[in-house]
Amino acid sequence: MARYVALLRGINVGGKNIIAMKDLRAALEDHGYGNVSTYIQSGNVLFDTDADPTTLEADVEAVLEKTFGVPLLVVIRSHRQLRSVIAKAPSGFGADPDTYYSDAVFLKAPLTAAAVMRIIELRDGVDQAWPGTGVVYFARLGAERSKSKMSRITAKPEYKQMTIRSWTTTVKLLALLDAQSPSR
């Protein structure tokens, strides 16, 4: 059994695609996933499975569409992969939340960080972005966040293959995986 986190895009945001976390947990448990738990209402699901990791995203997407009638993008990271995302963050990333809003932009393959870096627009002195493996790290100056160009990414076709988590949520998800993992 391996431990994973599924990052769902576009649920419980702006009154759209409302899915109760208890229903989300039940859907995955009914499909055979173990030790299922959720974190906050925005679609973070932790679970165990021995399923083939190469088909896991498609399998979870199919379960959710069949159960809730809504096609949802699902980006899955293993415990090890999420630990690597945090360990390989740029030096100091997320360390000063009172000054910078920091996010992890998780990418669904085949979308790459190199491709996303080509489409991201940055405002000088406000926005910063760094490529990672399956992730783009994005920070914007809090005092100037209304001038950030980050929201422009939503108009790009590539946006449909990514989901964004605050750095605080990303770090918390790893802590939950660490606490719940039998192979700590």
Side-chain angles (χ1 to χ4, degrees), residues 87-177:
K88 293 180 178 180
S91 179
F93 186 80
D96 190 1
D98 293 332
T99 303
Y100 290 96
Y101 286 69
S102 301
D103 295 304
V105 182
F106 289 94
L107 312 176
K108 183 171 179 141
L111 185 61
T112 65
V116 172
M117 291 301 291
R118 287 191 294 272
I119 64 156
I120 284 182
E121 298 177 42
L122 303 175
R123 182 170 303 275
D124 218 19
V126 177
D127 299 320
Q128 301 172 65
W130 303 265
T133 302
V135 67
V136 170
Y137 303 93
F138 197 98
R140 57 205 178 284
L141 188 61
E144 300 287 332
R145 69 184 176 275
S146 64
K147 296 179 182 176
S148 174
K149 292 185 177 184
M150 183 181 188
S151 64
R152 292 186 181 181
I153 200 166
T154 62
K156 309 285 185 180
E158 293 87 350
Y159 181 67
K160 294 177 181 170
Q161 298 301 310
M162 57 181 79
T163 187
I164 302 170
R165 295 298 182 276
S166 73
W167 192 245
T168 302
T169 295
T170 302
V171 171
K172 177 65 176 180
L173 290 170
L174 179 61
L176 292 169
L177 285 171

Side-chain angles (χ1 to χ4, degrees), residues 1 16 32 35 37 58 63 65 71 80 82 86 100 113 131 155 158 169:
M1 277 296 174
K16 295 183 180 181
N35 197 20
S37 63
V63 167
E65 185 168 2
R80 179 188 55 76
L82 190 61
I86 291 170
Y100 290 96
E158 293 87 350
T169 295

